[in-house]
Amino acid sequence: MSAHDHSPGGRAASWTYGLAIGLALFSGMAQLPIMKRYYIADLPGMAWAADFFATSDLHYLAAALLLMMLAWRLALDGRLAGLSWSWGPRTWWGWGLLGLLALTGAAKAARNWGLYLPPTTMLVLDLTHLMAAMAFMVTGLVSLVMGRKEPTRAGMAEGL
Amino acid sequence: MPKDISRRGFLKGGVSLAAGVAAGMAAGPLVLPGAAQAASGQELCTVLDLGKCIGCEACVDACRAEWQPTVPDPVKPIPQPFPSRVPIEDWSSRKDVQDRLTPYNFLYVEHLELEGKVSELHIPRRCMHCVNPPCTSLCPFGASRQEKNGVVHIDQDICLGGAKCKTVCPWHIPQRQSGVGLYLNLLPTLAGNGVMFKCHRCLPLVSQGKQPRCIEACPQKVQSIGPRQEQVAKAQALAEQAAAADGRPGQWRDYLYGLEENGGTNTLYVSPVPFAKVNAALHELHIQQASQEAPAKAGQGRGQAAKGGKGLGRRLAQAGRPPMGPVANSMENPENLTLALAIAPVAGLAAGLGRLFGGARKLGRALEARRQDADKGGQS
Ligand code: SF4
Ligand code: SF4
Ligand code: SF4
């Protein structure tokens, strides 16, 4: 029996979360002027990666999907004790980074609706968002490479 | 609300109109001169009445005298970025160029010859100071900034010269000087390529309540600066006059540029001829200029950009001479997608807590039953 079977939303939710994280990270990285410089946009079918507006739209969509899933998860966790999840952050560090990304991202986006943020605040938001994303990516990669398993009840039930 | 005025511009206009009305009711009409209002932090807007411009370039000279010395000289040799196709852009030996935007020249004047009643037109060009500037909103490092008074500027201590601001600016205004700035202290070959420079609306002067140099120096009083709402009304009145004088009463929008472009800017041009005609003449002139200037002379040093064979559109975009065609709001999608961001967590919470709570309980019971099955299976 896999961990997905115990996780609300099952395998589909896990895949959707993984996809949303992947798209958010890629489209976020594409906000740095590196896709063209480092030939990524020259790969077949990847020209869009150098289009800052297209990747920015994608970033908003991926972030919206993540926010919806994480809010759903938090709400379910709040109402039902002992749920196990096959997706999402596993540690307070992970939750902290995602929370920081959501807050700084939301503040940056609020500019689009006319919220004025002083330049120094914008600088802090931009750099915090960037650093948190990098820390999240490194954490994810380390956890993948180390093959860390989720210490959930589902995992324990499988004897992992 | 006209479709082409962004929600953000509309909200800002409404807020400043309400503030203006409130201030008017409290203290009578605003009497501060435009530059002093700059110190009060209100969003500032310039109006350029092109019918008055004689093309003397006193504005350009004043801008250069004040600000060119603030643009540093590059280190020599300038590090060649990796990969080699990334161009070094070095204008330090061409500081005298003033017929286009360069890192050492924030303002230039277009001199147009036209057919018809108006035979010549002179157009000072520089950053438009957009209401929701993509150069600022999309800068990943917070180097491009917007002040509360609407001034958009680039912090030369933070900018790494990746030129994203230039790419996303509909007019490709910011100009790069390689070999200067923070990137030299980081990974000069692998990341960054200098600093971007452009008109900062004389921020250091304006924030002290002074006039921008180009406005002060103009013998014809072509430009004025003041609170956005007042300036929009002024520009519209001038455009109405221009349309009537051109025999097209009521068609004032054709004679006004910058009000709706890119969702709204704080630079409003009024012309005695329709901007469609101005833009067509500019386009022709820019093609002529681009064909006369070999790319190597146009500020590109080594690297791919120095090689020929690029498309005309790309060459025009790189030429430091912005067109005056219609420009859709480049921030329209982000403005709309912000709504998706706002709704998403609410929808997620509602799905987890609200009407679906019954469903969630069922889900919890089902998962618990499966867990128990698994436990039993494990024990047997
Ligand atoms: S005109 Fe270009 S550089 Fe100036 S504020 Fe608008 S987007 Fe930025
Ligand atoms: S406002 Fe100042 S920086 Fe901008 S063009 Fe005029 S003089 Fe130059
Ligand atoms: S704006 Fe004024 S100073 Fe500049 S070219 Fe026109 S008339 Fe001369």
Side-chain angles (χ1 to χ4, degrees):
Chain A
M1 177 169 295
S2 107
H4 296 295
D5 296 327
H6 299 287
S7 184
R11 195 172 293 272
S14 292
W15 277 100
T16 311
Y17 177 78
L19 186 73
I21 286 281
L23 287 177
L25 286 175
F26 183 79
S27 57
M29 265 167 49
Q31 296 311 302
L32 305 172
I34 53 174
M35 294 295 167
K36 197 166 170 203
R37 177 165 178 167
Y38 287 110
Y39 298 93
I40 297 159
D42 292 343
L43 297 172
M46 289 300 288
W48 59 272
D51 180 338
F52 293 117
F53 288 107
T55 51
S56 159
D57 291 352
L58 189 60
H59 198 63
Y60 276 83
L61 288 171
L65 190 55
L66 282 174
L67 283 175
M68 192 165 71
M69 292 190 78
L70 291 167
W72 177 64
R73 174 172 163 166
L74 286 174
L76 279 181
D77 270 339
R79 304 306 289 256
L80 300 168
L83 284 178
S84 59
W85 300 87
S86 60
W87 55 271
R90 296 158 179 165
T91 59
W92 285 109
W93 168 249
W95 277 107
L97 287 177
L98 273 186
L100 203 55
L101 285 165
L103 284 177
T104 49
K108 274 154 61 90
R111 269 181 52 87
N112 291 324
W113 282 3
L115 174 77
Y116 175 74
L117 294 169
T120 319
T121 312
M122 280 296 289
L123 175 68
V124 171
L125 288 175
D126 281 336
L127 294 184
T128 311
H129 198 77
L130 192 63
M131 295 299 160
M134 284 177 159
F136 189 84
M137 204 153 54
V138 170
T139 306
L141 284 176
V142 167
S143 129
L144 269 183
V145 170
M146 310 269 289
R148 214 179 116 222
K149 298 287 182 184
E150 186 184 6
T152 60
R153 282 175 57 179
M156 284 183 259
E158 289 176 5
L160 296 170
Chain B
M1 176 176 16
K3 196 170 150 266
D4 41 8
I5 297 182
S6 73
R7 171 182 15 218
R8 190 181 197 276
F10 178 77
L11 287 174
K12 276 203 159 184
V15 169
S16 56
L17 180 61
V21 169
M25 278 162 50
L30 291 165
V31 288
L32 290 168
Q37 282 163 351
S40 76
Q42 292 182 47
E43 195 151 302
L44 293 168
C45 181
T46 50
V47 173
L48 290 98
D49 186 355
L50 296 181
K52 287 188 189 168
C53 182
I54 54 172
C56 66
E57 299 197 1
C59 51
V60 179
D61 294 338
C63 178
R64 290 164 62 82
E66 186 72 34
W67 303 119
Q68 197 182 77
T70 66
V71 180
D73 284 320
V75 295
K76 291 286 168 102
I78 296 174
Q80 173 62 51
F82 175 84
S84 63
R85 70 172 177 175
V86 179
I88 287 175
E89 293 186 74
D90 181 13
W91 283 91
S92 58
S93 58
R94 284 185 291 274
K95 290 185 185 174
D96 57 321
V97 172
Q98 63 177 67
D99 65 347
R100 55 162 286 170
L101 300 173
T102 79
Y104 296 95
N105 193 61
F106 303 165
L107 169 68
Y108 77 102
V109 180
E110 294 278 7
H111 303 282
L112 281 184
E113 283 173 16
L114 300 167
E115 280 172 15
K117 261 198 296 187
V118 177
S119 59
E120 61 179 53
L121 196 66
H122 309 280
I123 315 171
R125 295 308 309 275
R126 41 120 178 116
C127 169
M128 302 286 285
H129 296 278
C130 301
V131 172
N132 187 10
C135 58
T136 296
S137 294
L138 298 183
C139 174
F141 308 113
S144 178
R145 301 168 158 213
Q146 186 178 35
E147 299 295 325
K148 197 166 179 69
N149 63 12
V151 172
V152 182
H153 62 111
I154 298 168
D155 186 331
Q156 57 170 287
D157 294 333
I158 294 170
C159 177
L160 297 175
K164 181 180 179 186
C165 52
K166 182 177 184 177
T167 306
V168 299
C169 168
W171 296 277
H172 308 297
I173 297 284
Q175 302 289 314
R176 173 162 54 197
Q177 175 59 47
S178 301
V180 301
L182 181 63
Y183 88 112
L184 292 171
N185 302 325
L186 303 172
L187 296 164
T189 50
L190 293 178
N193 189 10
V195 172
M196 308 305 293
F197 293 93
K198 71 171 193 71
C199 159
H200 44 57
R201 194 161 268 177
C202 290
L203 184 63
L205 302 175
V206 165
S207 48
Q208 293 169 27
K210 295 182 185 158
Q211 294 270 352
R213 285 285 182 250
C214 55
I215 297 185
E216 204 178 54
C218 175
Q220 295 294 107
K221 306 251 171 298
V222 168
Q223 271 195 83
S224 64
I225 187 166
R228 179 172 173 80
Q229 206 65 29
E230 274 178 25
Q231 294 291 86
V232 168
K234 177 179 173 177
Q236 185 176 335
L238 283 171
E240 277 165 2
Q241 284 170 23
D246 200 31
R248 301 176 68 224
Q251 304 294 307
W252 60 272
R253 276 171 193 270
D254 295 351
Y255 298 79
L256 179 55
Y257 191 78
L259 180 61
E260 291 163 3
E261 279 67 30
N262 201 26
T265 79
N266 280 318
T267 299
L268 308 175
Y269 287 94
V270 180
S271 158
V273 292
F275 275 100
K277 189 172 172 182
V278 172
N279 191 45
L282 276 176
H283 187 65
E284 232 171 80
L285 179 65
H286 292 169
I287 289 177
Q288 265 177 34
Q289 288 166 325
S291 63
Q292 283 160 9
E293 292 164 358
K297 278 193 203 147
Q300 316 294 343
R302 288 164 285 170
Q304 174 112 346
K307 295 168 194 160
K310 288 194 294 183
L312 179 64
R314 169 118 175 94
R315 281 179 65 184
L316 289 179
Q318 292 300 319
R321 298 188 183 100
M324 295 191 103
V327 173
N329 179 10
S330 57
M331 292 303 288
E332 190 175 354
N333 279 359
E335 284 167 14
N336 293 334
L337 287 168
T338 301
L339 184 63
L341 277 189
I343 290 173
V346 180
L349 282 176
L353 289 175
R355 279 193 311 121
L356 298 182
F357 179 49
R361 226 174 5 215
K362 226 161 62 190
L363 171 72
R365 280 200 298 270
L367 288 169
E368 188 54 35
R370 272 199 232 172
R371 257 199 303 266
Q372 282 167 4
D373 286 351
D375 286 347
K376 274 185 212 151
Q379 283 158 13
S380 63

